[in-house]
Amino acid sequence: MKLSICTDVMGDLSFTDMLDKCVKLGVEGIEMTGGGWSRAPHFRADELLADKGLLRSKLTEIEARGLEIAALNCSANPLDPGDMGKRHRKEMEQTIRLAGEIGVKTIVTMSGLPEATPGDMVPNWLVYTKSWPDEMPERDRYQWEDRAFPLWHDLVKLAKEAGVEKYALENFSAMLVWNPETLFRLRNEVGPTVGMNLDPSHLMWMGADPIASARALGDAIHHCHGKDTRIERGLADVNGLLELKDVTDVANRSWNYVAVGAGRDLQWWKEFFSVVRMCGYNGWVSLEMEDFTMSTEAGIQSSIDALQATISR
Amino acid sequence: MLNGERLIERPLRWGMVGGGRTGQVGYKHRTGALRDGAYRLVCGAFDLDSERGRDFGVNLGVEADRCYADYKELIAKETAREDGVEVVSIATPNFTHYEITKACLEAGLHVICEKPLFFTVSECEEVAKLAEEKGLIVGVTYGFTGHPLVHQMAAMVKKGMLGDIRIVDMQYTHGFNSGDDVGAGEAVKWRTNPKTAGPTFVLGDIGTHLYYLSEIVLPHLKIEKLLCDRKAFIPTRAPLEDHATVLMHYDNGARGRLWVSSVNAGNMGSQRYRFVGSKASIEWSDSHPDQLIYEVQGEPNRTLHHGMPYLEEESLAVDRMGALHTEGLGDSWANIYLWIAQAIDAKNRANEAFLKTHHYPGIKAGTEGVRWLENCVRSADAGSAWVDFE
């Protein structure tokens, strides 16, 4: 395994300062964002597709520092029924094309989440049993068969044309694909180009055991994020794990995203990466740092230290 | 050994300007480009007759709305597409190479161009600068220089198997233009008109192949002086030539002789190369492309066969067919196209480290070919005088 970092956390730094910082941190790769919800501070796909000179100068800067692009990221909802869905789908396609142009094999993204019935204005995450009320089965069928499958057949075709080998869909909440089972529902339809970006942090607050999830995924692990979650004792016991409060309201939330090692101990992380490697994945682990309980600087450094000590080399 | 597996990660989106139904060379480009999955033909401006070009392109499998009337429309429409063409091959008469190449580079497209690249060295240098600024590749299709036995010759010279090089003897002749030009086809008309062919006919059309191949085999030798004698046996071709001989002095004292002609009546011998050193000689001809004659002074003469394990690894690395089967021009073009694809792929990723050691016929090869032609013309126009190579 090799260590990379999702560079959006350094969005306040210029491209070259960000690269220099990555070299100082000792990571070998970078995962940069091409579009979607992110403002894509360092590697906007539309901008770079239109300006090949700028693209090459950025690649030269990366090469000169001995860094590799681990993956391009486009966290987005291409199935949103509104204008955002159209924009996100376009930016996803641009990110795929850009990856193809520069030989990056993996796109880290999300499955998307559509409306529950034609005409709805907003996406609708169905996470309650679909057998009741009576309208639920049709909503579920509509979301998957009428909305998600056609999109993903198109995206798989585009990836093949562009030379991109893998989609790594994050097991992110409020998406159709949010755990191994939902990943396989899509993968069984559109084929093995689609796999998981195994991000243990979301599975933790959903109550899953990411080590067991890794075993279930097997060769469907296409990428891995290093990000931790802490279930806050006392609060989760009272209110449960569904949590709507702002992510910065750390003291009152029942769970928080934290620097790696501040949720689960290093023994757990060692086992996690060992099992992931055992299942056949020996690619990049990208640090995603979203800990609001400490400074960004400290969060990055302590996470890097934890990942360097635990990833399976 | 090359076996047709894709060596770059995705096929480059490729288009052609020229190379349509009425010419011969387009097929050679496609034979080269489409062999290894390194290119996918997505568009073209194949013919001056746009309807015929569209019909031809559709027959090749190109979508009708991506068969364009001319290169300007191709560039405008393709660069507006997100999945637009990225590399364009130019298989048109010489006088159009410069403007089409420049337009493609300015639009951010890589270029693969027929030889002779342009009319003048200064045009070459201007385009090289533009390509450098834009971070783009210009490849030049010198047809037989991808053949494994050419690289066998280069490896043998490099290893010192010939000793010091003394004599370079090269010939590229045919007899297809032995008759007069009355009723000649378009291909002869543009090649014999200085406005469309440039400053030479056979020197640029076929002699430039000899020169570039000798540069591959003898990269350490530089020409110091040359004398070019050229003549139009068919007077209507003047001031261009249908026959020429060039004598060359190299900086190590070696002597060279080069004969090009399109009035070598009845001859189908085409290209022949003989490199003579102080210890041994080698000779190769595209008439018998599988065989390399290797003659060591005082020993029985040998015929080396392509694809055999006793060859140098540089040769075996680019062999495609294996020893039992003829390896020819199509295979050589496939190698050239593959090498250019690898260069484009590396350039796209700004992998300068790869490009530093990667060999392919690029803008420098094209420029040196034109430089050689300029020196030949200067010598011939001075009354077949010796001139310092500039």
Side-chain angles (χ1 to χ4, degrees):
Chain A
M1 291 177 177
K2 290 194 283 189
L3 190 57
S4 59
I5 185 166
C6 296
T7 64
D8 274 15
V9 71
M10 294 179 265
D12 55 330
L13 297 183
S14 71
F15 179 71
T16 53
D17 288 350
M18 176 276 286
L19 292 179
D20 288 340
K21 174 93 179 166
C22 289
V23 171
K24 269 195 202 142
L25 287 168
V27 299
E28 299 151 274
I30 47 179
E31 179 179 328
M32 294 180 293
T33 311
W37 277 301
S38 162
R39 66 185 172 87
H42 301 127
F43 216 68
R44 277 208 70 83
D46 52 0
E47 186 179 271
L48 296 175
L49 282 172
D51 185 346
K52 297 287 166 61
L54 178 65
L55 172 62
R56 290 195 184 92
S57 76
K58 289 203 170 200
L59 293 173
T60 304
E61 295 261 350
I62 294 167
E63 194 206 19
R65 288 168 178 80
L67 292 166
E68 282 182 67
I69 301 177
L72 289 188
N73 185 311
C74 185
S75 295
N77 184 5
L79 289 169
D80 183 290
D83 288 343
M84 188 176 75
K86 291 194 192 91
R87 179 169 70 79
H88 278 190
R89 176 164 181 174
K90 186 167 182 223
E91 291 181 6
M92 228 160 122
E93 290 174 355
Q94 287 167 330
T95 304
I96 294 156
R97 290 206 171 91
L98 178 63
E101 303 277 323
I102 61 177
V104 172
K105 291 178 189 158
T106 305
I107 299 288
V108 178
T109 182
M110 293 172 179
S111 63
L113 179 72
E115 69 285 3
T117 194
D120 280 3
M121 309 289 281
V122 291
N124 192 333
W125 194 33
L126 309 181
V127 282
Y128 182 64
T129 178
K130 76 172 179 186
S131 62
W132 188 88
D134 292 345
E135 59 273 23
M136 292 295 277
E138 170 53 21
R139 288 175 182 169
D140 176 85
R141 190 208 61 75
Y142 168 78
Q143 287 194 318
W144 283 88
E145 294 179 16
D146 293 358
R147 296 284 275 120
F149 289 165
L151 168 79
W152 280 98
H153 276 300
D154 286 353
L155 289 176
V156 165
K157 187 163 165 267
L158 176 62
K160 285 186 177 150
E161 276 171 21
V164 168
E165 290 174 4
K166 289 178 176 175
Y167 288 108
L169 307 190
E170 188 158 329
N171 44 270
F172 188 72
S173 54
M175 287 286 128
L176 278 186
V177 170
W178 49 275
N179 62 7
E181 189 172 53
T182 47
L183 174 80
F184 284 118
R185 188 170 175 185
L186 181 61
R187 183 178 161 104
N188 290 342
E189 168 71 18
V190 302
T193 308
V194 166
M196 189 70 96
N197 167 32
L198 179 55
D199 184 329
S201 65
H202 312 299
L203 292 163
M204 288 173 186
W205 73 256
M206 291 178 199
D209 172 2
I211 294 172
S213 304
R215 278 188 182 272
L217 287 166
D219 66 2
I221 302 174
H222 281 186
H223 192 70
C224 204
H225 272 175
K227 190 171 136 200
D228 206 350
T229 291
R230 185 171 60 240
I231 311 294
E232 302 294 355
R233 58 190 71 198
L235 299 179
D237 305 326
V238 173
N239 292 318
L241 288 164
L242 301 181
E243 178 58 86
L244 282 169
K245 282 188 282 297
D246 194 278
V247 289
T248 57
D249 189 10
V250 285
N252 294 308
R253 287 172 56 88
S254 56
W255 58 267
N256 286 298
Y257 293 129
V258 289
V260 178
R264 304 281 173 116
D265 63 20
L266 297 195
Q267 169 59 30
W268 185 91
W269 283 98
K270 281 181 186 165
E271 184 184 351
F272 172 70
F273 287 123
S274 172
V275 171
V276 168
R277 172 80 181 262
M278 209 161 75
C279 292
Y281 181 77
N282 192 24
W284 292 95
V285 176
S286 284
L287 165 65
E288 229 185 354
M289 168 41 210
E290 292 174 25
D291 189 330
F292 292 98
T293 72
M294 58 178 88
S295 72
T296 305
E297 189 78 9
I300 291 175
Q301 194 58 58
S302 68
S303 295
I304 294 268
D305 293 345
L307 289 170
Q308 291 285 24
T310 57
I311 65 171
S312 203
R313 290 196 186 266
Chain B
M1 179 162 158
L2 292 162
N3 56 17
E5 274 192 278
R6 204 161 79 200
L7 291 182
I8 61 168
E9 296 193 4
R10 66 174 175 89
L12 299 167
R13 297 184 297 276
W14 177 56
M16 290 193 77
V17 179
R21 189 175 282 146
T22 56
Q24 282 188 345
V25 81
Y27 179 70
K28 296 183 178 80
H29 282 269
R30 290 186 290 278
T31 296
L34 301 175
R35 189 82 74 89
D36 302 314
Y39 299 81
R40 187 161 59 87
L41 183 61
V42 297
C43 69
F46 297 101
D47 202 315
L48 285 172
D49 179 330
S50 61
E51 271 315 304
R52 191 169 59 192
R54 179 167 291 110
D55 184 57
F56 180 72
V58 169
N59 265 336
L60 294 178
V62 178
E63 288 167 25
D65 64 352
R66 296 179 83 175
C67 297
Y68 303 104
D70 56 40
Y71 78 89
K72 287 180 182 162
E73 188 190 9
L74 182 148
I75 291 171
K77 296 216 168 130
E78 287 292 320
T79 51
R81 295 175 69 113
E82 285 191 345
D83 62 348
V85 72
E86 354 168 41
V87 48
V88 174
S89 284
I90 302 170
T92 56
N94 300 352
F95 74 104
T96 62
H97 292 176
Y98 171 70
E99 66 177 47
I100 302 176
T101 300
K102 260 181 57 168
C104 286
L105 292 174
E106 272 158 7
L109 304 175
H110 301 282
V111 173
I112 298 168
C113 187
E114 268 296 324
K115 41 43 57 185
L117 189 55
F118 309 130
F119 283 6
T120 66
V121 170
S122 65
E123 286 173 346
C124 294
E125 286 170 346
E126 180 198 338
V127 169
K129 188 161 169 278
L130 176 62
E132 174 68 26
E133 283 166 9
K134 295 275 185 181
L136 295 164
I137 295 290
V138 177
V140 184
T141 46
Y142 288 112
F144 251 115
T145 53
H147 195 279
L149 288 183
V150 172
H151 296 269
Q152 172 69 17
M153 289 195 284
M156 290 170 80
V157 169
K158 191 176 171 193
K159 269 180 97 176
M161 291 168 74
L162 274 60
D164 298 329
I165 299 299
R166 291 174 171 171
I167 301 162
V168 178
D169 188 19
M170 303 184 277
Q171 173 183 340
Y172 193 163
T173 63
H174 61 78
F176 287 112
N177 302 113
S178 299
D180 64 31
D181 288 341
V182 177
E186 286 303 316
V188 174
K189 280 187 190 149
W190 76 253
R191 280 184 171 83
T192 54
N193 178 351
K195 287 201 177 86
T196 48
T200 67
F201 169 24
V202 289
L203 283 162
D205 195 36
I206 52 181
T208 184
H209 286 292
L210 298 169
Y211 177 69
Y212 179 60
L213 193 145
S214 73
E215 277 204 313
I216 289 182
V217 177
L218 309 168
H220 57 299
L221 295 198
K222 300 288 167 239
I223 298 173
E224 276 187 342
K225 292 175 163 198
L226 65 72
L227 180 155
C228 174
D229 178 39
R230 64 173 178 165
K231 178 176 171 71
F233 279 100
I234 309 302
T236 52
R237 293 172 191 158
L240 303 190
E241 78 291 341
D242 50 26
H243 162 93
T245 45
V246 185
L247 298 179
M248 292 170 285
H249 286 184
Y250 294 89
D251 59 356
N252 73 334
R255 296 297 194 250
R257 176 177 79 164
L258 181 151
W259 174 26
V260 282
S261 180
S262 69
V263 295
N264 184 2
N267 175 251
M268 300 294 287
S270 202
Q271 300 177 58
R272 188 183 63 79
Y273 299 83
R274 185 170 175 85
F275 301 103
V276 178
S278 53
K279 292 197 285 200
S281 304
I282 47 178
E283 184 166 323
W284 179 79
S285 163
D286 68 353
S287 305
H288 306 283
D290 291 337
Q291 298 179 346
L292 174 60
I293 309 296
Y294 176 39
E295 300 159 340
V296 183
Q297 181 59 36
E299 294 181 17
N301 292 347
R302 281 168 249 183
T303 303
L304 309 184
H305 198 89
H306 91 92
M308 289 300 288
Y310 52 68
L311 298 180
E312 302 301 316
E313 61 183 73
E314 292 92 327
S315 175
L316 292 173
V318 299
D319 199 281
R320 287 171 177 268
M321 288 293 156
L324 282 176
H325 308 294
T326 301
E327 177 117 356
L329 183 65
D331 307 287
S332 176
W333 276 76
N335 284 347
I336 292 168
Y337 259 91
L338 181 60
W339 297 333
I340 295 172
Q342 289 172 311
I344 291 170
D345 187 50
K347 200 76 181 172
N348 283 348
R349 299 173 203 202
N351 187 347
E352 296 298 326
F354 175 85
L355 286 166
K356 265 182 201 149
T357 57
H358 180 61
H359 173 83
Y360 70 100
I363 184 80
K364 185 165 180 304
T367 305
E368 291 312 306
V370 175
R371 189 187 312 283
W372 179 77
L373 292 173
E374 276 193 350
N375 278 278
C376 288
V377 170
R378 192 158 50 85
S379 164
D381 290 354
S384 304
W386 282 100
V387 295
D388 290 335
F389 194 84
E390 291 172 357

